[in-house]
Amino acid sequence: MELREMNGMIQKVARGGSREAIVEAASRLFLQRGFGSVSMDELAEAAGLARRTLYNQFTSKEEIFREMLLRVSGHLEDAFPPGIETQGDVEEVLRLVARMIMELHRRPEYLGFLRMVVADSRQFPWIAEEFAAVMDPLTERLGRYVAHLTAMGVLECRNPTLAAHQFMGILNEFSLWPWMMGRERLAVPAEEIVEETVQMFLRHYRRPRSDEARNDDAA
């Protein structure tokens, strides 16, 4: 390997490391003090970087926030990956989705970002708007899945969007909101929360078996 090529690789790694340090520092300071109270100079100092290095990576705090949001989007993609709707029957798919959401709620970086959004969105409405643009498609996709199963005669749901929010809301109540409010989580095993959430949802929305059988015969 030529010396010039090696130097280029080293510089690329250094730039990536600087970017990671800035995002980590921003996550910490934004959560501690709020988005509006942190300056770019303070971010550079917290990241252990020169001011010039910071501006080589990000031109503004808004750009840093959007980088953080991009990473959150990746976490959400992990929680609801493409093709998950085909991984078995409705009970198996809902159970899988619930487990992935519960796992997402265990990630400190995700929870910290949520807390920052809640704290700063009133002063900076664009933060809430951009966060919603990332979060809403996840719920909408679950709603489309529910609507599809209703059309297929598996579920009986008049408002798929409401049903999707209900499903995710139950999980949030146990594993997200206690942390957001600074309370201890309920001493309930995660798998029990998943199973009871799925069964409660299906008891309300699943079409009676006799109806499913009649629909199959008619088809």
Side-chain angles (χ1 to χ4, degrees):
M1 182 181 294
E2 295 183 359
L3 180 60
R4 183 169 53 187
E5 183 179 355
M6 183 178 297
N7 287 338
M9 292 180 63
I10 292 172
Q11 291 172 3
K12 184 176 181 180
V13 171
R15 286 196 296 270
S18 298
R19 200 170 182 87
E20 289 294 328
I22 293 166
V23 172
E24 289 177 8
S27 300
R28 186 170 63 253
L29 292 184
F30 289 167
L31 180 58
Q32 289 174 353
R33 294 166 47 192
F35 179 86
S37 299
V38 179
S39 69
M40 290 289 277
D41 286 348
E42 289 170 325
L43 286 172
E45 182 179 357
L49 301 171
R51 189 172 185 270
R52 180 177 178 180
T53 303
L54 173 67
Y55 278 97
N56 283 340
Q57 295 291 339
F58 298 101
T59 60
S60 66
K61 290 190 299 179
E62 289 77 9
E63 190 177 340
I64 297 173
F65 171 86
R66 292 185 176 101
E67 175 70 19
M68 296 165 64
L69 186 58
L70 183 64
R71 298 178 186 212
V72 168
S73 178
H75 295 327
L76 295 175
E77 184 73 12
D78 292 341
F80 207 164
I84 194 174
E85 297 94 330
T86 65
Q87 303 300 307
D89 64 17
V90 59
E91 189 168 343
E92 293 168 334
V93 171
L94 290 177
R95 192 178 287 122
L96 185 58
V97 170
R99 286 175 181 150
M100 290 181 172
I101 291 174
M102 294 288 287
E103 181 60 32
L104 179 65
H105 292 169
R106 293 191 184 99
R107 299 186 180 185
E109 65 275 19
Y110 174 73
L111 297 175
F113 186 82
L114 286 185
R115 183 173 279 179
M116 184 202 76
V117 169
V118 171
D120 287 320
S121 58
R122 184 171 182 178
Q123 183 179 1
F124 303 98
W126 64 268
I127 287 180
E129 292 169 2
E130 295 200 13
F131 181 66
V134 169
M135 287 293 296
D136 288 350
L138 178 65
T139 309
E140 290 167 2
R141 188 171 154 205
L142 184 57
R144 288 194 299 271
Y145 176 65
V146 172
H148 171 71
L149 292 179
T150 298
M152 295 292 292
V154 177
L155 300 180
E156 190 170 17
C157 180
R158 290 177 297 176
N159 190 332
T161 299
L162 173 62
H165 279 275
Q166 287 172 331
F167 183 79
M168 298 180 72
I170 295 171
L171 298 171
N172 290 344
E173 173 65 23
F174 284 99
S175 62
L176 176 62
W177 289 114
W179 188 91
M180 294 287 289
M181 301 300 292
R183 304 197 323 258
E184 292 291 329
R185 293 180 179 178
L186 296 178
V188 181
E191 191 59 28
E192 185 175 350
I193 294 172
V194 167
E195 193 62 31
E196 289 300 319
T197 299
V198 171
Q199 296 307 321
M200 182 185 300
F201 184 86
L202 291 178
R203 277 195 296 271
H204 185 68
Y205 286 116
R206 183 173 240 160
R207 185 182 294 273
R209 300 293 185 178
S210 57
D211 289 352
E212 288 186 53
R214 282 197 295 271
N215 286 341
D216 292 341
D217 291 342

